[in-house]
Amino acid sequence: MSDRVLPDVTAESIKVIAESAGIGQLPDEAAAALAEDATYRLKQITQEAVKFMHHGKRRKLSTADFDNALKLKNVEPLYGFHAEEHIPFRFASGGGRELHFYEEKEVELGDIINAPLPRIPLDVNLKAHWLAIEGVQPSIPENPPPVPKEDQHAADRPPGVTAKPSGKDGTKPAGKPGKAEVKGLPSEVAGVKLKPVLTHELSVEQQLYYREITEACVGSCESRRAEALQSLATDPGLHQMIPRFSTFVCEGVRVNVVQSNLALLIYLMRMVKALMDNTTLHLEKYLHEVIPAVATCILSKQLCQRPDVDNHWALRDFAARLMGNMCRNFSSNINNIQSRMTKTYTKILHDEQSHLATRYGALAGLAEMGHDVVKSLLIPKLKEEGEKVKMLMEGPVHNSVDKTAAEHIRALLLKHCAPVLAKIRPGPDNQEQYKTDFGHLGPLLCAHVVKARQQQQQQQLQATTTTAAAASVVQRPTLQIPQKSDWGRASAVLSAMAAPRTPTPQPTTPSLLTISRPSTPANPPSTPTTPTPGTPNPQTKYIIVSTTKASTSTTLPSTSTISSSGLASSSSSAASTIVKFVSAAQGSASGGSEPRVLAQLPSGQKYVVVSVPSSGQTTTTSQGKTQAVVMVKSEGQGSQGQGSNTGITSAAGTLAQLATSSSQDSTKSSTGLQGGATPKPNS
Amino acid sequence: MADPNRTVVVTDGSNDASTVSGAATGVQSSPKGEKGAGTDPSKMDQQTLAAVLQFLKNNKLKDAEAALRREAKLPDGNGDSSGSSRVATSGEVSSVLSAYESEGDLARYCEYYNSLSSFIESSLDAHKHELGCLLYPVFIHMYLQLVYNRHEKEAHKFFNRFSVEQEDWHQEDLRTLSTVKTREQMEGNDLMDTFRSSKFVLRMSRDSYQSLRRYLKQNEHRELLSILQDHLFIDVFDGVPRNREQVQATSGAMMGEARRDANKVKVLYGLPKEPDINVPLDDDDEGAEGEDKPKKKKQKKDLLLNKNKKADPNAPPPSRIPLPELKDADKLEKVLSWKEGLKRVPLGRENLPSICFYTLANAYQNVSAVGVSEDSSLLAAGFEDSNVRVWSLSPQRLRTMRNASELDQLDKEADDIVERMMDEKTAADSWLLHGHTGPVYATSFSPDREQLLTSSEDGTVRLWSLHTYSNLVVYKGHNYPVWDVQFSPTGYYFVSGGHDRVARLWGTDQFQPIRMFVGHYSDVTCIQYHPNSNYVATGSSDRTVRLWDVLNGNCVRVMTGHKAAVHTLAWSPDGRYLASAGVDKNVLLWDIAYGRLLAEMKGHTDPIYSLCFSREGSILASGGIDNTVKIWDVQKVFEEIAGSDDLTSLDRASLVEVGSLLLGSFQTKATPVLKLHFSHRNLLLGCGRYQHS
């Protein structure tokens, strides 16, 4: 008992309180007597408050419980103590005294009166689902996944390491086993432990599901595809079917590369992405099929019938990003995926004879590996690549295919190298210096770096993120987007539940999903504990989070700093479900009016596009072909103008949108975000 | 009956007469069933009388006092007012406080306690566990004596040294106790008052008691002796001493176990004969189905009716409690529910139920209560922002009644008058009821679904009309939060219970409670009306479950065994078994016929807030804030006791040994299970509020 701090009010505290109440000299005895009594009363009231917690059927004691307990004891409850934070106390020390205080800011009444009315929160509604049907829990998104991910992993492990049958038995109902049950051989028969054999037969329902999903994924109907991908990305209990899906992808890529069918390749990559997004699946055992397929889509010489018109670059970008995510999620000391892929890429770059498209893929692949890789492998090559680009663009032999390739390579290098350079090179940026260091690309690079620097400086006004640390540990996410693994599911459920009963959405409540931020673990580590002067309202933040697991990955430094300034965007390919989180405790209250929701696709995939004043036109179509950023749009149109294969262009358009909306395009979208964020401190 | 034991303690005992009688009663309620000695009741009456007189005097109610004195044939109070007041105060306050006044060497308390515990440790294994129960009350009272006599330091030391040795389930009370550090704080502390004014009940076999007596004789610890005499009630029984499991099964309540004589009254737990129902059985329905089918149906129905008509020897006479007369609508209702019952799915080990779960989304304010109507067509949720919301679970949307002028124009003779009264324009999926000024902790629908009761932190119970969606009556009586309220199965009556430790029985048309059930040592946290409307079961945070007779307000069963506050109760459909659960995460099953514990079901990892028996009583569903619904095979227990229904083993709480009863466990994603309800067809409905983490 002595080793823990005794929960007592000390006489010093009483004296401090007395001082603040205007009593200067409180005698020691009086303070001690008061302290003792205060301790007793506090404990008594807390114990009463626990009763209210129990009757409120909660696990957490709330301030309201405490108020009720005070009321019970005929003490006037505390008025106006409603903190938006979980623990609203600030710490200060000085002069040998340590003090925890509650920071109360002066509030300008005018601001409150003139502030626009907060949006009305969504109304309470009731939704029914089947928790169990005759003792068997159906695998629907409303229910937790039948086999927890850890158990999938345990089942994957070789026998003898640790087989935990006991934990499983406890969770399974003892009644009828489900159809998709792990069929264990009678393992105790001879005292020999046999590895349980997984059934390789799918139930009729699963076969139907497989057929429907695969048909929809590669079919021509975009809305059905979106639905299928959504199902792949969110449904729990698909783990029985991953082998089938991974084989499907692998074989599909093999066939379609030969036939140069760009559209199908894109569809297959999107399938891979959806599978990776599914938080209940454990893909590790199937990488041997998936990785070659994805690598093919990055590096293949020819991915489309008309390399001069078709936008196969988007596919390469997208696949490279997938690969980057895979490396981050699955690379280990045993499989060494990251180093093996990096080797593959660099080998191509060293090979002078390699095809330009392949080179582009290799560069994109490296760029997606993270900052360390960019710094050590890409930047030293800038000069060489620059010369190559120059030769192709200005050289004597004019080949439109080569020229577009060169343009793309240049854009790619600028996009990825500039932010890194802005970090590692000390300013000021001198055009000449860049020219000597990086050759042909120098001047352009210089312009980009300057732009990147400006952004960073703006963000550093409010940020305390250590960029050095961010640069040094690129492999690990520097910014943990507040994201527990079940958020994806949570939001999926919420999206299902938040929908009003009637199919037509209410005009007053836009179908934007608003979730008040959970109080405990969700604080991004970079959020400062004490508000810096730059942020007058630290509680109101807009965090755009893609709720998939993949996005816990590396973020660009620029975005990580954005987060602390008020906007966090996760930079990764995961864009299937972007949910806007308003972190203020009043839910959607205060600032919800500022960024406008422009697009929500009715087909299940949700994009919340924040209106970005500076990035020009942001147009949406309800079909899901959101051409979000002008640059991408022009590319898409370029191919559309000449091409006859509209299927390809629409797929490429969607893909481009996926790529851009996940904000890897730091220049465009982060300025956009910045534009949205900067007016805030003024308001 | 010459009982040599009776006097031993007394002669050893120190001084006053009250301790003598206390110890004497302790021994006397031995299994022969002999009630307390003749002197005791009269003495008790004297004391009570004196206390009442004192109260009247203090409140200057002279006439009443004089009247009472006249009636009680007491001498006029004016003469010896000082004397009587001294008697009264000593009866009320000083007897309790002075009991703590001790001249003995308080510093030696540690020694005494050590000696007692080492005696218990060294005694025979057979007695060890029964005697072990002594330690906790002795510890408490020693500590309180130390505090009372202003030995704060010693008290603190004593507490720190021995509190860790107490059983886990006592720690909650010990925490409360540990806050009391000075004599002043002892005043007005609820738990303190309870300990001071009531005796801690222990049950012990005669053998164990003998060995305790020998120990006390050898070591003349006067203080220990006086604690045992003043604050403990040792209920001695003949028979084999109980083992550890048996002792643990029933211990845990705030003031020890139930006295054996507390559970002796016969409880008429059976269901009364169903009244004859002469309602034309749904002509329209049968007419539509042709001529052959109705006959078959009628036969079936007759079978069902016959079954219910069989007289149950344990059923109370129908006139025992005046019940509201059945209206035509009620009869129709009964017929419909039978009809539904015919389609019931039998549940059991092999047939687990289907569970339909209702999730409340977007409830930013917490949901603190959920109620479902008997026929599963309505759901009411109470929120912590004092709102109540009613949803319809059936396709029938919720409508209000037309206004008076429109009602006036209706043809009152029409067959579908009820239907016509409703205003189709107001149909809505849910209605919001405003009125309470604090979190709503319970909701209960009347059996006819025309009224709704809610109880709240604001100390009121409110009755709402579900025709107009407005508040009809506010029942004030509990001045403190009302934790639970429930309609009787027949309507009209309802019970409420709250922080004031009293459960009240009300009639919907009366402002005053009809009965007050007083006896719990702490908050009444949950209430269940017995299916035959003659009894009310209450659970409390003193960790007991009590059964009260509605006829006379007596407590007829006290059941101990929970280790933390009880938060939910459920009756089996036949009225004989009661299930209870709460913060201690265990579900306990009780046999009301004998007031004994039948089974303990462990498995939940967080407090349990809902229990429900299936319609035929074969399985029990439990749900709590660990987000799981668990299904238990109670049929197995019932079968077991049906086989071994001998009365000899009933006194000792022996759990039915049947192994694990868990049939299934179903987890929700992030929704605590606040309410479970079996529909007539045995579909299990669950409800809770989605909590994003």
Side-chain angles (χ1 to χ4, degrees):
Chain A
M1 230 178 149
S2 56
D3 55 335
R4 66 191 167 95
V5 180
L6 287 173
D8 286 344
V9 177
T10 59
E12 287 83 61
S13 306
I14 295 291
K15 280 188 176 171
V16 170
I17 293 165
E19 264 174 45
S20 68
I23 303 165
Q25 295 298 320
L26 196 69
D28 284 349
E29 298 85 56
L34 278 173
E36 193 181 331
D37 197 58
T39 308
Y40 171 68
R41 302 280 163 211
L42 269 178
K43 283 181 178 173
Q44 214 183 10
I45 289 164
T46 314
Q47 279 161 0
E48 287 296 331
V50 170
K51 262 183 198 171
F52 285 94
M53 176 191 78
H54 279 312
H55 283 282
K57 301 180 173 91
R58 278 171 281 119
R59 256 173 293 194
K60 275 185 197 151
L61 194 71
S62 75
T63 49
D65 294 333
F66 209 84
D67 279 349
N68 286 333
L70 285 172
K71 216 165 126 188
L72 207 63
K73 295 274 170 201
N74 275 329
V75 184
E76 201 171 343
L78 301 168
Y79 296 111
F81 190 89
H82 289 285
E84 284 160 0
E85 288 163 77
H86 186 52
I87 297 173
F89 295 105
R90 303 273 174 268
F91 175 74
S93 63
R97 294 226 292 190
E98 294 183 339
L99 196 62
H100 291 267
F101 64 96
Y102 177 55
E103 193 178 46
E104 282 179 296
K105 295 198 197 73
E106 281 183 19
V107 182
E108 187 70 44
L109 275 180
D111 287 353
I112 296 174
I113 293 164
N114 297 327
L117 283 177
R119 236 196 350 244
I120 300 164
L122 292 179
D123 200 8
V124 183
N125 67 26
L126 194 66
K127 186 185 149 97
H129 76 270
W130 289 107
L131 186 66
I133 296 170
E134 293 179 354
V136 181
Q137 197 162 21
S139 290
I140 46 174
E142 285 89 346
N143 286 330
V147 185
K149 208 174 169 187
E150 300 80 58
D151 286 9
Q152 275 182 54
H153 192 57
D156 286 344
R157 253 181 281 168
V161 180
T162 37
K164 288 188 289 179
S166 56
K168 254 184 183 176
D169 290 350
T171 54
K172 288 259 168 62
K176 291 179 199 164
K179 272 179 186 165
E181 191 83 348
V182 175
K183 234 186 229 168
L185 290 173
S187 53
E188 296 91 345
V189 175
V192 183
K193 273 212 165 177
L194 295 175
K195 186 180 176 182
V197 182
L198 289 166
T199 45
H200 286 282
E201 291 142 30
L202 298 182
S203 66
V204 182
E205 293 88 341
Q206 283 173 319
Q207 286 174 23
L208 276 174
Y209 177 81
Y210 174 79
R211 213 175 67 199
E212 285 287 315
I213 290 285
T214 47
E215 274 174 13
C217 278
V218 297
S220 55
C221 174
E222 180 59 33
S223 65
R224 269 193 78 202
R225 175 164 29 257
E227 232 168 274
L229 290 176
Q230 170 79 2
S231 164
L232 280 181
T234 54
D235 273 351
L238 292 182
H239 68 274
Q240 292 258 323
M241 284 182 278
I242 322 177
R244 319 283 159 148
F245 284 124
S246 77
T247 313
F248 178 80
V249 170
C250 176
E251 291 297 316
V253 169
R254 198 197 304 262
V255 171
N256 287 300
V257 159
V258 173
Q259 298 183 349
S260 299
N261 194 338
L262 180 61
L264 278 178
L265 288 174
I266 289 172
Y267 298 150
L268 289 169
M269 285 303 106
R270 287 175 67 187
M271 250 177 100
V272 174
K273 190 184 129 33
L275 286 173
M276 278 187 65
D277 286 350
N278 193 324
T279 46
T280 63
L281 293 181
H282 201 81
L283 275 183
E284 200 161 16
K285 290 284 148 183
Y286 308 99
L287 291 180
H288 64 277
E289 283 187 317
V290 177
I291 287 196
V294 177
T296 306
C297 290
I298 306 172
L299 298 173
S300 175
K301 239 186 281 184
Q302 197 180 8
L303 287 171
C304 50
Q305 309 247 315
R306 298 175 308 278
D308 48 340
V309 250
D310 291 343
N311 186 4
H312 58 98
W313 313 105
L315 172 61
R316 290 179 200 274
D317 281 338
F318 185 73
R321 189 156 313 128
L322 269 182
M323 183 63 82
N325 276 335
M326 275 187 215
C327 288
R328 277 184 284 275
N329 290 344
F330 302 119
S331 189
S332 69
N333 287 337
I334 298 163
N335 59 24
N336 270 330
I337 301 173
Q338 170 137 12
S339 63
R340 280 157 72 188
M341 278 319 296
T342 319
K343 243 179 241 166
T344 314
Y345 291 147
T346 42
K347 219 167 102 191
I348 290 164
L349 292 184
H350 283 302
D351 181 6
E352 288 300 317
Q353 300 302 310
S354 57
H355 192 270
L356 273 177
T358 309
R359 268 189 110 71
Y360 176 87
L363 288 169
L366 281 176
E368 294 294 345
M369 289 284 190
H371 289 169
D372 262 352
V373 178
V374 173
K375 195 173 98 183
S376 55
L377 293 174
L378 225 48
I379 290 178
K381 280 209 164 292
L382 275 176
K383 196 166 183 180
E384 191 186 321
E385 293 298 322
E387 292 311 315
K388 201 163 265 170
V389 167
K390 184 184 175 190
M391 201 182 76
L392 287 168
M393 294 182 86
E394 297 165 8
V397 190
H398 281 285
N399 180 344
S400 69
V401 179
D402 286 353
K403 205 166 174 181
T404 28
E407 271 167 15
H408 275 103
I409 288 176
R410 191 177 63 188
L412 180 83
L413 287 173
L414 290 176
K415 187 174 102 182
H416 287 288
C417 292
V420 180
L421 276 174
K423 286 250 154 63
I424 60 171
R425 265 180 88 98
D429 301 304
N430 185 347
Q431 291 259 3
E432 295 307 311
Q433 189 61 36
Y434 271 83
K435 181 118 195 173
T436 50
D437 284 356
F438 303 113
H440 170 71
L441 285 175
L444 272 172
L445 207 51
C446 180
H448 274 86
V449 169
V450 168
K451 211 187 275 173
R453 255 190 233 287
Q454 279 171 354
Q455 279 169 25
Q456 280 167 17
Q457 269 163 8
Q458 278 174 354
Q459 289 140 15
Q460 269 160 2
L461 278 178
Q462 295 126 355
T464 53
T465 323
T466 52
T467 48
S472 64
V473 256
V474 188
Q475 298 306 324
R476 299 275 147 246
T478 54
L479 167 72
Q480 288 283 354
I481 303 290
Q483 189 170 48
K484 292 171 72 182
S485 60
D486 56 349
W487 272 32
R489 278 182 280 135
S491 65
V493 170
L494 270 178
S495 64
M497 286 173 177
R501 272 186 164 185
T502 45
T504 47
Q506 306 284 330
T508 46
T509 54
S511 38
L512 163 73
L513 196 56
T514 324
I515 306 168
S516 66
R517 191 187 58 173
S519 48
T520 31
N523 272 323
S526 60
T527 308
T529 45
T530 46
T532 46
T535 51
N537 189 0
Q539 273 83 42
T540 357
K541 289 175 198 149
Y542 299 98
I543 303 180
I544 298 178
V545 173
S546 81
T547 56
T548 49
K549 181 147 192 292
S551 69
T552 26
S553 48
T554 315
T555 53
L556 285 175
S558 62
T559 51
S560 75
T561 43
I562 285 172
S563 83
S564 38
S565 77
L567 269 164
S569 72
S570 74
S571 67
S572 71
S573 60
S576 71
T577 324
I578 294 183
V579 179
K580 176 171 158 296
F581 286 90
V582 178
S583 68
Q586 306 100 314
S588 61
S590 53
S593 54
E594 230 175 282
R596 277 182 306 126
V597 179
L598 288 187
Q600 172 168 32
L601 309 187
S603 55
Q605 269 181 312
K606 286 174 190 57
Y607 305 101
V608 176
V609 181
V610 179
S611 83
V612 280
S614 67
S615 72
Q617 282 190 333
T618 313
T619 54
T620 49
T621 62
S622 64
Q623 286 287 309
K625 286 173 269 181
T626 316
Q627 288 144 335
V629 177
V630 182
M631 185 187 82
V632 180
K633 191 178 166 189
S634 63
E635 277 176 13
Q637 280 176 343
S639 58
Q640 204 169 23
Q642 300 172 23
S644 56
N645 191 344
T646 46
I648 295 175
T649 48
S650 83
T654 320
L655 199 60
Q657 180 241 337
L658 282 176
T660 46
S661 67
S662 62
S663 84
Q664 273 293 60
D665 183 357
S666 57
T667 48
K668 280 284 176 187
S669 54
S670 47
T671 44
L673 292 171
Q674 193 59 35
T678 37
K680 279 207 56 233
N682 306 331
S683 64
Chain B
M1 185 192 76
D3 194 344
N5 309 328
R6 186 183 301 179
T7 46
V8 178
V9 177
V10 177
T11 45
D12 282 352
S14 47
N15 29 36
D16 60 339
S18 70
T19 54
V20 176
S21 67
T25 25
V27 183
Q28 268 162 3
S29 46
S30 49
K32 307 296 193 289
E34 198 182 330
K35 292 290 167 210
T39 54
D40 273 328
S42 66
K43 187 173 164 44
M44 286 286 284
D45 287 352
Q46 291 274 333
Q47 277 189 348
T48 318
L49 210 55
V52 171
L53 283 172
Q54 185 62 31
F55 173 80
L56 293 174
K57 202 175 173 63
N58 288 347
N59 288 291
K60 305 227 161 45
L61 301 164
K62 288 228 175 81
D63 289 349
E65 188 192 346
L68 185 62
R69 278 183 193 283
R70 255 200 322 281
E71 268 183 54
K73 299 192 180 70
L74 285 177
D76 193 23
N78 292 335
D80 57 347
S81 64
S82 60
S84 78
S85 88
R86 190 168 302 143
V87 169
T89 32
S90 66
E92 283 283 294
V93 189
S94 316
S95 75
V96 185
L97 289 188
S98 68
Y100 283 125
E101 221 153 282
S102 165
E103 295 79 40
D105 188 359
L106 293 164
R108 294 183 63 202
Y109 269 17
C110 280
E111 207 178 294
Y112 295 153
Y113 186 83
N114 255 343
S115 148
L116 180 65
S117 81
S118 60
F119 153 69
I120 288 167
E121 200 51 45
S122 63
S123 57
L124 286 176
D125 277 356
H127 308 314
K128 199 188 267 180
H129 304 297
E130 286 192 334
L131 291 174
C133 300
L134 274 173
L135 285 174
Y136 172 67
V138 168
F139 167 81
I140 295 235
H141 287 289
M142 279 187 168
Y143 175 73
L144 293 182
Q145 281 198 5
L146 286 172
V147 171
Y148 185 78
N149 291 298
R150 301 198 182 281
H151 290 74
E152 283 92 4
K153 277 205 182 112
E154 282 87 350
H156 191 66
K157 230 161 63 189
F158 181 77
F159 191 88
N160 282 354
R161 182 158 163 205
F162 296 114
S163 66
V164 284
E165 292 174 13
Q166 309 302 327
E167 301 278 2
D168 292 343
W169 56 84
H170 289 138
Q171 295 299 334
E172 189 189 333
D173 280 346
L174 287 177
R175 265 200 298 279
T176 313
L177 203 65
S178 69
T179 61
V180 177
K181 286 181 178 155
T182 64
R183 186 172 180 167
E184 285 70 35
Q185 287 165 354
M186 284 173 81
E187 313 281 338
N189 186 311
D190 294 343
L191 187 65
M192 258 359 69
D193 293 342
T194 310
F195 275 122
R196 276 156 33 170
S197 56
S198 333
K199 291 192 170 194
F200 197 94
V201 182
L202 290 171
R203 291 170 69 180
M204 214 176 260
S205 67
R206 190 164 296 282
D207 294 346
S208 306
Y209 183 67
Q210 299 265 12
S211 90
L212 173 67
R213 242 186 35 204
R214 273 197 300 277
Y215 163 75
L216 292 173
K217 224 174 186 178
Q218 280 164 17
N219 308 281
E220 301 239 333
H221 299 326
R222 285 170 51 98
E223 286 74 20
L224 190 57
L225 214 54
S226 71
I227 286 177
L228 290 186
Q229 282 165 352
D230 293 352
H231 301 294
L232 265 65
F233 180 94
I234 299 178
D235 198 350
V236 178
F237 64 89
D238 285 316
V240 191
R242 297 179 297 170
N243 62 22
R244 184 177 165 75
E245 282 70 35
Q246 287 168 331
V247 169
Q248 277 196 352
T250 53
S251 59
M254 190 180 273
M255 295 311 290
E257 296 171 64
R259 301 185 186 208
R260 265 158 10 95
D261 53 350
N263 287 342
K264 286 289 178 214
V265 185
K266 185 174 162 59
V267 172
L268 303 166
Y269 56 80
L271 299 185
K273 204 174 79 169
E274 287 292 342
D276 293 325
I277 291 174
N278 297 322
V279 178
L281 295 175
D282 267 314
D283 293 319
D284 51 340
D285 200 22
E286 285 170 21
E289 285 179 29
E291 291 303 308
D292 297 337
K293 277 188 181 174
K295 269 185 189 169
K296 213 172 157 189
K297 231 181 188 177
K298 249 179 193 158
Q299 276 174 355
K300 247 188 181 174
K301 228 169 255 166
D302 286 347
L303 273 177
L304 202 73
L305 294 176
N306 285 336
K307 202 178 126 200
N308 279 313
K309 274 176 188 163
K310 207 163 51 180
D312 187 335
N314 291 313
S319 57
R320 192 167 180 265
I321 304 284
L323 295 175
E325 240 176 73
L326 282 181
K327 289 177 287 187
D328 281 356
D330 297 330
K331 289 177 181 167
L332 200 66
E333 184 73 24
K334 274 192 189 291
V335 172
L336 286 177
S337 72
W338 275 333
K339 265 184 155 181
E340 277 286 297
L342 290 176
K343 298 173 188 161
R344 178 183 302 159
V345 186
L347 295 179
R349 242 151 286 162
E350 304 303 319
N351 302 313
L352 291 182
S354 298
I355 309 173
C356 178
F357 205 88
Y358 291 92
T359 310
L360 289 159
N362 302 330
Y364 300 108
Q365 70 283 36
N366 197 24
V367 179
S368 44
V370 179
V372 179
S373 69
E374 170 65 15
D375 70 340
S376 322
S377 66
L378 296 171
L379 185 146
F383 296 89
E384 291 208 335
D385 63 357
S386 28
N387 285 334
V388 178
R389 205 182 255 267
V390 182
W391 277 274
S392 167
L393 299 184
S394 61
Q396 175 70 59
R397 287 159 52 99
L398 304 173
R399 301 160 301 179
T400 64
M401 216 188 278
R402 292 173 191 279
N403 61 31
S405 57
E406 282 175 1
L407 283 176
D408 209 34
Q409 293 163 2
L410 289 178
D411 173 16
K412 280 153 202 83
E413 300 304 312
D415 287 339
D416 55 346
I417 181 70
V418 182
E419 193 63 23
R420 286 196 197 183
M421 272 156 55
M422 297 300 171
D423 190 352
E424 207 54 59
K425 278 177 293 199
T426 58
D429 287 328
S430 74
W431 278 91
L432 196 58
L433 306 176
H434 299 287
H436 280 295
T437 56
V440 179
Y441 288 122
T443 62
S444 173
F445 285 99
S446 70
D448 57 8
R449 297 189 303 285
E450 287 174 9
Q451 286 155 349
L452 173 74
L453 276 171
T454 57
S455 77
S456 158
E457 184 269 340
D458 61 14
T460 61
V461 173
R462 279 173 191 260
L463 182 73
W464 309 83
S465 161
L466 298 183
H467 281 158
T468 58
Y469 295 96
S470 57
N471 193 189
L472 298 178
V473 194
V474 182
Y475 301 95
K476 292 177 182 170
H478 297 274
N479 276 327
Y480 292 108
V482 189
W483 298 132
D484 202 1
V485 66
Q486 207 205 13
F487 254 116
S488 115
T490 53
Y492 179 69
Y493 296 113
F494 66 92
V495 253
S496 62
H499 179 73
D500 58 1
R501 307 174 178 194
V502 179
R504 284 161 209 254
L505 177 80
W506 310 72
T508 45
D509 58 355
Q510 296 183 38
F511 288 111
Q512 299 292 330
I514 304 170
R515 294 278 182 278
M516 310 252 281
F517 305 118
V518 187
H520 276 296
Y521 293 117
S522 187
D523 306 24
V524 177
T525 49
C526 52
I527 282 173
Q528 273 294 323
Y529 230 109
H530 191 275
N532 69 16
S533 291
N534 280 253
Y535 296 92
V536 169
T538 56
S540 162
S541 51
D542 67 6
R543 309 190 279 282
T544 59
V545 176
R546 282 173 189 257
L547 186 70
W548 309 87
D549 192 337
V550 170
L551 182 67
N552 47 27
N554 287 341
C555 176
V556 291
R557 289 286 180 272
V558 183
M559 290 164 287
T560 60
H562 274 290
K563 312 287 187 267
V566 185
H567 270 285
T568 175
L569 299 166
W571 284 102
S572 69
D574 61 0
R576 177 166 175 184
Y577 305 102
L578 178 70
S580 63
V583 181
D584 62 357
K585 303 158 198 168
N586 292 343
V587 182
L588 300 188
L589 190 64
W590 309 92
D591 180 357
I592 286 306
Y594 308 104
R596 62 170 174 166
L597 179 63
L598 290 179
E600 197 176 10
M601 291 166 256
K602 297 185 177 181
H604 278 283
T605 57
D606 262 314
I608 300 166
Y609 283 105
S610 185
L611 286 172
C612 190
F613 277 95
S614 69
R615 290 281 172 168
E616 75 276 24
S618 60
I619 66 169
L620 175 70
S622 65
I625 55 175
D626 57 357
N627 304 350
T628 44
V629 177
K630 288 190 192 290
I631 307 288
W632 308 92
D633 186 5
V634 286
Q635 186 67 39
K636 211 165 159 185
V637 182
F638 300 155
E639 282 164 9
E640 195 74 18
I641 59 158
S644 63
D645 208 353
D646 56 331
L647 286 154
T648 51
S649 67
L650 293 175
D651 271 349
R652 281 176 296 128
S654 54
L655 293 186
V656 182
E657 289 298 331
V658 280
S660 174
L661 298 171
L662 184 66
L663 289 180
S665 176
F666 305 98
Q667 188 150 23
T668 65
K669 236 171 172 176
T671 313
V673 184
L674 302 188
K675 180 71 190 174
L676 289 170
H677 178 85
F678 273 100
S679 75
H680 283 295
R681 299 186 187 183
N682 263 342
L683 171 69
L684 182 56
L685 309 179
C687 186
R689 167 220 175 201
Y690 182 76
Q691 286 180 320
H692 44 85
S693 47

